[in-house]
Amino acid sequence: MSKAVHNLAHMFDNLVKGRGEILDLQAVTEIGNIEKQKLDEKGGGLLEVFAEDPSDGGKYNHVFEIVVDIDNVIYKHINVTQFDSKDMLKYLYRMGSSAGADLTPTAKITKAEKTFSNKILASIKETLQDKSLSENFKKEAAVLDMTYGILKRAQEQIIADIDKLLKDLPTREGAFLTLRIEKKGNKHYVGDYQIFKRKLIDSSLLKFHYSKSFKTDLIGYDSVCSLCRKNKKEVFGLANIFPFYTIDKKGYISGGFQYDKAWMNFPVCPECSILLVLGKSYLDKNLTFSFKGLNYYLIPNTIYSGQLEYVLKKLKGLNEEKEYNFVEKYLAQEERILINAGKELKENSISFELLFFKKDKAALNILLDIQDVMPSRLRKIYETFSEVNEEKIFKKFYLSTDKQQQIFINFGFVRTIFPRDTHNGYFLETINDIISDKKIDYKFLLKPIVAYITDAFKRMEKGITDKNKDNYLTATIKSFGFLYYLNRMNLIRERKEAGPVKTKSNVWKKEDFNSEREMFEDFFNTYSTFFDVPEKKVCFLEGYLTKKLLNIQYNNDKRTPFLARLKGLKLTKKDMERLFPEIQNKLTEYNANYYRETEELISSYFIEAGNSWSIPDLDVPFYFSLGMNMASIFIIKKEKEDHIDD
């Protein structure tokens, strides 16, 4: 292959990548090829490709057949029947422009007069006016010309009959209108006429090379197809069925901004154009899923020929119920799709492309394209979620000595801290990093996490309960759990990979240790990737002591005035230095300072940390909140205060 031809073959790929949008169209055409083989076996050919469902998935399930008797030159009546999907080619429907006629005289009924005049009559008229059709199919054109005259003369009666039948339809059920021409005792439908078959195919192919806006044919001759990489007699310039690519602006046109040479941007032969249509249709019907409010295509890529058909068969059952473990049962159906994809396909010769998109009228905006995702990666993602959620501290988190709660860690947390309306880009970036095994900046995550925890804290402070939002405790433990999950996946740039916890316990009891110091240090060692510097331990233990003080205040006064000293969680190193003696003094005032050992431990960590703290500012409120909300998992027994549930 010459250098010029090679560049031409890759031109489209380079254009798209240059705009930050990537899509493996080769994979789409391979899916289309499998679908075409099935159509060839059925004998439907291109009509099966381009004919559309006139019922629109059952919305227009009643069929109104306008019966015309050619022998007697009369309109007889309207026959009503139910649509059967096996009759798709019988009615041969394909939508045209919204204001104009459809490609054939079969149309969904909106209003009787409008549909009959603007769709049925207009379609027959357009067909007869096309000389290439009327001259090639003279006998059929003559029948249609006679039919057109009959319909025009009976127009008022036909419209009245349609209106009457529409009124008899059940509420919210629709119908489509079509022709039934009777001749010599035989019934002929739209799909029986070669003139309509040819019109449907030609008109459908026309959009691959003819621009109505510029009234120009974009066809290259004796050129290389950018998909099959073969030299073809003709290649089309408008065959892209994914509308993120456009040539309606000069900046996107090759050939010195000459529109008639724009086919060079993306040359596709007629055969591959058909495969693209079939492949996209398959994706739309079978491999389009939702994830946290976003749609995406799950596109399989295979190394070995003949493997794709097996993969598609496996993927077609992704929505089916499987056997799930305890944690997976509580995941949304949308996440089970990815679980099943990882479970069903274990070969390393398969990978997935996850193409997140948003439809905006005719445009397809690509939000995120994650390529080369192995089934083993999907399995690791969800197996680790399962392992984390099975750990006792999350599966049975101690709210009090006699009350426990399951706290689930999953992708829903990412959507919580990055809402769709305001931070969708950050959500997509984080999902991409997790699935693609890319390191995530800790400070990038910490800011929204602390904002989420702070919001919950303020609601608690005001006594507000919102069933649609996590309370302060749940928000804090979910944040800890998700960061712990990322540690387990070795995804946080600033931290070492964390293995499973070193203990199966979800509670630390003083009686199991020689001292409180030993108890807390065992906890810190268990989660050593979180408590790697003394500053974090200071914040955690001050949060712990604050929670104990608040419980004592409430137990004595039914109020928690010390909350006001926490500045709405806008805490810094100076606040930690300020709060520590304040907490000690308040405990002494209540004659309830049962935590001398803990206070000594905090003092030792203060000394160890020194004057210059190494942690980010936002670590202070995070670890402080962690200490407050994990206070219930440390049992000392000698204290005389009751735990207060959030």
Side-chain angles (χ1 to χ4, degrees):
M1 185 183 292
S2 69
K3 183 176 180 181
V5 171
H6 180 81
N7 289 340
L8 178 63
H10 288 278
M11 189 175 296
F12 175 69
D13 290 337
N14 293 335
L15 171 73
V16 173
K17 288 178 182 179
R19 295 174 61 201
E21 299 160 344
I22 307 170
L23 174 62
D24 189 352
L25 292 177
Q26 187 63 48
V28 180
T29 58
E30 288 174 4
I31 294 173
N33 189 50
I34 291 174
E35 288 299 286
K36 187 175 184 300
Q37 291 173 17
K38 294 177 183 177
L39 291 179
D40 291 342
E41 291 174 4
K42 289 170 61 178
L46 291 181
L47 291 175
E48 289 272 9
V49 178
F50 296 120
E52 296 174 350
D53 176 10
S55 77
D56 195 11
K59 296 177 183 177
Y60 301 85
N61 220 31
H62 301 276
V63 187
F64 290 2
E65 300 172 350
I66 304 173
V67 182
V68 173
D69 185 341
I70 289 294
D71 297 323
N72 296 302
V73 197
I74 59 169
Y75 156 69
K76 294 177 68 176
H77 63 277
I78 293 179
N79 181 62
V80 180
T81 185
Q82 291 291 304
F83 175 68
D84 191 319
S85 59
K86 71 177 186 296
D87 292 329
M88 286 268 289
L89 297 185
K90 176 180 175 179
Y91 300 116
L92 206 62
Y93 168 75
R94 186 174 177 86
M95 185 176 71
S97 64
S98 57
D102 292 331
L103 292 185
T104 67
T106 295
K108 300 168 188 173
I109 302 174
T110 52
K111 294 182 179 180
E113 183 176 4
K114 185 178 180 180
T115 304
F116 179 74
S117 300
N118 297 348
K119 297 293 184 180
I120 304 301
L121 286 178
S123 179
I124 297 173
K125 186 176 181 180
E126 283 185 3
T127 305
L128 292 171
Q129 289 176 340
D130 188 328
K131 291 185 178 180
S132 64
L133 292 173
S134 58
E135 290 179 4
N136 284 326
F137 304 98
K138 291 181 180 179
K139 289 183 179 180
E140 291 186 351
V143 172
L144 288 181
D145 188 46
M146 186 180 296
T147 300
Y148 184 79
I150 295 170
L151 296 177
K152 283 288 286 184
R153 289 190 295 273
Q155 184 168 347
E156 289 186 11
Q157 183 61 51
I158 293 171
I159 292 171
D161 290 346
I162 295 170
D163 270 328
K164 184 177 182 301
L165 290 169
L166 286 174
K167 291 177 183 177
D168 294 335
L169 286 183
T171 305
R172 296 183 180 179
E173 290 191 19
F176 65 87
L177 195 60
T178 189
L179 280 180
R180 191 178 91 189
I181 300 174
E182 296 184 351
K183 184 178 181 182
K184 295 180 180 180
N186 295 317
K187 299 174 182 177
H188 302 279
Y189 294 87
V190 174
D192 294 323
Y193 289 87
Q194 294 300 319
I195 193 170
F196 290 128
K197 291 179 181 179
R198 174 51 55 193
K199 182 184 180 184
L200 186 143
I201 292 173
D202 288 349
S203 297
S204 300
L205 288 173
L206 188 67
K207 69 177 184 179
F208 294 150
H209 60 82
Y210 183 75
S211 168
K212 290 183 179 180
S213 301
F214 291 88
K215 296 181 180 179
T216 303
D217 253 327
L218 299 181
I219 300 178
Y221 300 96
D222 192 25
S223 298
V224 174
C225 170
S226 60
L227 292 177
C228 66
R229 306 295 200 241
K230 295 179 181 178
N231 199 76
K232 295 297 182 78
K233 290 182 180 179
E234 288 185 344
V235 289
F236 299 152
L238 297 174
N240 178 44
I241 41 80
F242 292 94
F244 55 75
Y245 157 73
T246 177
I247 56 173
D248 61 356
K249 298 177 182 178
K250 288 186 176 181
Y252 297 156
I253 301 175
S254 298
F257 299 147
Q258 299 177 49
Y259 190 82
D260 60 345
K261 294 183 179 180
W263 62 268
M264 298 172 66
N265 280 340
F266 182 33
V268 180
C269 67
E271 294 79 11
C272 285
S273 299
I274 302 300
L275 298 184
L276 272 180
V277 172
L278 286 170
K280 182 176 184 297
S281 177
Y282 188 91
L283 290 179
D284 289 337
K285 293 176 183 177
N286 301 290
L287 294 176
T288 301
F289 304 104
S290 176
F291 184 84
K292 306 304 175 188
L294 300 173
N295 291 322
Y296 70 96
Y297 290 126
L298 183 65
I299 306 172
N301 289 276
T302 58
I303 294 177
Y304 304 114
S305 60
Q307 193 180 23
L308 183 58
E309 192 166 1
Y310 162 79
V311 172
L312 293 178
K313 185 177 179 181
K314 284 286 187 181
L315 294 181
K316 206 167 184 179
L318 289 184
N319 276 311
E320 297 175 3
E321 284 296 319
K322 312 288 183 183
E323 287 189 12
Y324 298 103
N325 63 35
F326 170 77
V327 175
E328 291 170 348
K329 287 180 181 178
Y330 291 90
L331 293 176
Q333 177 64 22
E334 59 192 22
E335 291 198 50
R336 293 184 189 178
I337 297 297
L338 297 178
I339 293 173
N340 290 340
K343 285 183 175 180
E344 290 291 328
L345 297 162
K346 299 183 178 180
E347 296 86 349
N348 290 329
S349 56
I350 299 167
S351 67
F352 296 111
E353 179 177 3
L354 279 70
L355 185 77
F356 290 83
F357 63 90
K358 179 183 179 182
K359 289 186 177 179
D360 184 9
K361 296 180 181 180
L364 186 76
N365 297 323
I366 295 180
L367 305 175
L368 173 66
D369 188 18
I370 310 176
Q371 295 191 343
D372 300 324
V373 181
M374 296 292 183
S376 58
R377 180 62 186 174
L378 293 178
R379 286 198 302 276
K380 182 176 181 180
I381 287 169
Y382 283 100
E383 284 173 359
T384 306
F385 268 134
S386 294
E387 291 166 3
V388 169
N389 282 295
E390 286 285 358
E391 291 186 11
K392 279 190 175 181
I393 195 167
F394 303 113
K395 190 173 183 179
K396 294 181 179 180
F397 184 82
Y398 265 84
L399 300 174
S400 63
T401 54
D402 58 353
K403 187 177 180 181
Q404 298 173 346
Q405 174 184 331
Q406 170 81 50
I407 296 178
F408 285 103
I409 313 301
N410 53 39
F411 277 123
F413 180 83
V414 186
R415 176 51 86 199
T416 299
I417 63 172
F418 294 129
R420 183 178 180 180
D421 294 338
T422 56
H423 294 82
N424 204 44
Y426 289 148
F427 169 79
L428 288 166
E429 181 181 342
T430 304
I431 294 301
N432 177 52
D433 289 344
I434 293 172
I435 294 177
S436 302
D437 195 13
K438 297 178 180 177
K439 298 288 187 179
I440 302 173
D441 183 75
Y442 174 66
K443 293 180 182 178
F444 165 75
L445 282 178
L446 192 59
K447 185 175 180 180
I449 284 175
V450 171
Y452 157 65
I453 292 173
T454 301
D455 182 61
F457 176 84
K458 289 178 179 177
R459 288 197 306 276
M460 178 198 72
E461 197 174 21
K462 295 175 182 177
I464 297 173
T465 301
D466 189 334
K467 292 181 179 179
N468 297 316
K469 295 182 178 180
D470 292 323
N471 62 29
Y472 181 41
L473 183 146
T474 304
T476 303
I477 305 306
K478 277 187 178 180
S479 299
F480 171 70
F482 191 75
L483 289 172
Y484 175 64
Y485 167 79
L486 294 179
N487 275 352
R488 288 283 302 274
M489 292 288 290
N490 195 24
L491 287 171
I492 297 183
R493 186 176 294 116
E494 293 82 358
R495 288 185 180 173
K496 296 179 180 179
E497 182 177 359
V501 293
K502 301 172 184 177
T503 175
K504 298 295 181 181
S505 175
N506 56 338
V507 63
W508 276 257
K509 298 178 180 180
K510 166 70 181 301
E511 63 186 36
D512 296 330
F513 300 90
N514 295 320
S515 64
E516 287 180 34
R517 171 187 283 270
E518 191 176 306
M519 177 184 70
F520 283 117
E521 287 185 344
D522 183 76
F523 172 78
F524 293 146
N525 290 331
T526 298
Y527 298 101
S528 57
T529 54
F530 279 85
F531 298 97
D532 53 341
V533 292
E535 297 96 302
K536 296 176 181 179
K537 299 173 186 178
V538 167
C539 297
F540 181 89
L541 290 176
E542 282 203 41
Y544 165 82
L545 277 188
T546 298
K547 182 62 175 177
K548 295 301 182 183
L549 171 59
L550 292 171
N551 288 351
I552 291 168
Q553 284 188 327
Y554 188 83
N555 190 46
N556 282 271
D557 306 325
K558 303 304 177 188
R559 297 186 309 115
T560 53
F562 197 77
L563 273 176
R565 303 297 297 155
L566 304 184
K567 298 171 52 179
L569 278 190
K570 292 182 179 179
L571 302 173
T572 64
K573 170 180 176 286
K574 288 184 178 180
D575 291 306
M576 292 297 98
E577 294 169 342
R578 168 184 62 83
L579 283 173
F580 186 36
E582 289 182 8
I583 295 168
Q584 291 175 301
N585 290 336
K586 282 293 178 184
L587 287 172
T588 301
E589 284 180 22
Y590 280 96
N591 195 27
N593 198 344
Y594 314 116
Y595 312 104
R596 297 294 186 186
E597 286 187 66
T598 304
E599 292 164 7
E600 290 174 5
L601 185 57
I602 293 173
S603 298
S604 67
Y605 286 139
F606 260 122
I607 294 170
E608 192 177 340
N611 291 325
S612 299
W613 283 17
S614 61
I615 61 175
D617 291 341
L618 288 176
D619 259 347
V620 176
F622 173 72
Y623 280 92
F624 184 87
S625 294
L626 208 55
M628 278 190 69
N629 290 294
M630 283 189 165
S632 57
I633 70 173
F634 300 99
I635 299 175
I636 298 179
K637 280 192 175 181
K638 66 182 180 181
E639 58 198 271
K640 298 177 181 177
E641 51 94 1
D642 297 318
H643 183 80
I644 305 166
D645 295 335
D646 286 295

